Amino acid sequence: MINPKNWKFKKNENGHDAAEYTFRMRDSDLYAMAINEQVEIGIEDLANIAFTNAKNAAPDVRVVKKEYRVVNGHKVIYMEMLGTIQSVKFKYLGYYYSNETGSTQFLAYTGANLVDKYQKDIDVLLNGFSVNQ
C-alpha cells in the first residue's frame, strides 16, 4: 500500500516509458516504479530481462543480490542491481513476480550512496507488494 502522505505517484500516460506507475518519496531522492504486463513470464526470465534492460542503460550494471522471497503470500525474486548512468551510481532494489494474469516488476531506486539512508522506506514500500487476482 502506497502512503500518499509519504509518496507522490502518477500513472504514466506518455507511452514512452515501460513503467505504468511512477513514484517519488516526498522531499527525497527516492523513486519507485511499477511495470505491469499482461503476459506471463517465468520469474527467473523476468529478472533476467530486467537485468538485460538495465545493462542497455548502464553497461557496468551488476546484480549484487538475488534471492527468492515470499511477500504477502506470493513467491517473488528480490534483486538488487548496481550501476552507473551518466556518471551517477544508482541502485535498483525490486521484486519480480508473474502468474497467469501477468507480470510485475516493482522497483525502488536511488543513488547508491543513499540506499542506507532510505533502506527502511524502501523495505516498507516493497513489502507492501500485493497482487489482485
Side-chain angles (χ1 to χ4, degrees):
M1 174 70 79
I2 303 294
N3 183 341
K5 291 180 182 176
N6 298 336
W7 291 89
K8 293 188 266 184
F9 57 95
K10 65 180 179 177
K11 184 169 178 62
N12 180 13
E13 296 177 354
N14 69 18
H16 300 302
D17 193 352
E20 184 176 353
Y21 293 94
T22 57
F23 310 87
R24 181 174 183 187
M25 189 172 168
R26 295 182 186 277
D27 302 319
S28 78
D29 290 314
L30 177 59
Y31 304 88
M33 69 175 112
I35 302 170
N36 298 301
E37 301 175 90
Q38 294 180 351
V39 64
E40 180 178 10
I41 303 170
I43 60 172
E44 279 290 339
D45 293 329
L46 184 60
N48 290 337
I49 290 167
F51 175 73
T52 299
N53 290 339
K55 198 153 192 65
N56 289 335
D60 70 335
V61 75
R62 67 187 192 280
V63 174
V64 295
K65 186 174 189 174
K66 184 178 177 183
E67 63 190 23
Y68 283 99
R69 293 184 178 177
V70 176
V71 180
N72 296 320
H74 302 286
K75 183 177 179 182
V76 301
I77 288 180
Y78 172 76
M79 186 165 66
E80 295 180 6
M81 294 183 283
L82 186 64
T84 309
I85 297 177
Q86 298 179 351
S87 301
V88 177
K89 287 202 176 290
F90 71 90
K91 194 168 195 179
Y92 279 90
L93 308 93
Y95 288 150
Y96 301 84
Y97 174 79
S98 189
N99 69 9
E100 64 280 350
T101 65
S103 302
T104 297
Q105 300 173 56
F106 188 42
L107 313 167
Y109 58 98
T110 189
N113 64 317
L114 298 174
V115 172
D116 289 343
K117 176 180 180 179
Y118 296 130
Q119 190 66 60
K120 180 182 173 196
D121 299 304
I122 293 167
D123 292 343
V124 168
L125 176 72
L126 292 180
N127 290 330
F129 175 79
S130 66
V131 176
N132 294 330
Q133 298 287 346

